Amino acid sequence: MTHRFPEDGQRTAVFAGSFNPFTVGHLSILKRGLEIFDKVIVMIGHNASKKDDSENAEKRVEELSRLLAPFGERTEVRICSGLVAPEAKALGAVALLRGVRSVADFEYERNMADINRDISGIETVILTAEPRYGAISSSIVRELRSYGYDVTPFLPASPLSTDN
């Protein structure tokens, strides 16, 4: 196995997902990723076949960029419209950053890590969710919101402090 060291010496990871919405669990994985990597590019998935997804993805990029502004140049937010691994490699990333909450999540992510390594040579770093965030998912937050529940406990404070 060869270790890749970027020319600029900066070790970058890509943290990809729909992030609809970006939860406190996502923030935990991002912060812990920043303890390992010099920079994390948050890549928001965009499905060109879904109506209005482009506008929605661009809105999420703007909101997430504002939320993560306190991290300065250590984070960047982008839209991903293709396969994540090749895009990450083209950006100079040395790894994909992923979070898992359960064994089922792990099995899926392990399979994806194997495929991504095969198609692009990029490694995947998997971080387990902190126990207090293990039940939080974007889909649960969206469902609770649709029934009128206050979901603020599941979302990062805005504006974000790097102490959160």
Side-chain angles (χ1 to χ4, degrees), residues 9 13 30 53-55 57 60 62 67 69 71 125 146 154 157-158 162:
L30 173 67
D53 191 57
S54 178
E55 183 178 306
R60 281 182 279 153
E62 290 173 20
L67 182 72
F71 293 107
V125 173
S146 76
F154 308 116
S158 186
T162 54

Side-chain angles (χ1 to χ4, degrees), residues 98-118:
R98 302 297 295 165
V100 297
R101 297 167 300 204
S102 66
V103 171
D105 283 355
F106 177 78
E107 284 297 320
Y108 174 81
E109 293 297 341
R110 184 186 56 86
N111 291 336
M112 289 302 301
D114 291 343
I115 295 298
N116 286 328
R117 187 181 322 100
D118 286 347

Side-chain angles (χ1 to χ4, degrees), residues 1-2 4 85 89 94 115-124:
M1 174 184 207
T2 49
R4 295 182 311 242
K89 188 166 183 158
V94 296
I115 295 298
N116 286 328
R117 187 181 322 100
D118 286 347
I119 67 170
S120 69
I122 199 163
E123 291 293 339
T124 300

Side-chain angles (χ1 to χ4, degrees), residues 13 15 25-37 40 96-102 105-106 109 124-130:
F15 183 30
H26 294 132
L27 180 60
S28 169
I29 296 296
L30 173 67
K31 284 182 169 183
R32 291 166 53 212
L34 286 169
E35 292 176 13
I36 301 167
F37 299 100
V40 174
L96 300 175
L97 176 63
R98 302 297 295 165
V100 297
R101 297 167 300 204
S102 66
D105 283 355
F106 177 78
E109 293 297 341
T124 300
V125 173
I126 298 173
L127 300 179
T128 58
E130 292 180 69

Side-chain angles (χ1 to χ4, degrees), residues 52-70:
D52 300 327
D53 191 57
S54 178
E55 183 178 306
N56 189 12
E58 288 181 23
K59 181 180 177 187
R60 281 182 279 153
V61 166
E62 290 173 20
E63 290 172 355
L64 199 46
S65 294
R66 278 195 301 274
L67 182 72
L68 301 180

Side-chain angles (χ1 to χ4, degrees), residues 4 9-10 17 26 34 43 51 65 73 80 88 91 96 99 111 125 127 132 136 141-142 148 153-154 156-157:
R4 295 182 311 242
Q10 186 174 26
H26 294 132
L34 286 169
M43 204 172 271
K51 186 179 179 183
S65 294
E73 293 182 8
C80 177
L91 291 169
L96 300 175
N111 291 336
V125 173
L127 300 179
R132 62 186 167 165
I136 301 170
V141 172
R142 284 193 312 274
F154 308 116

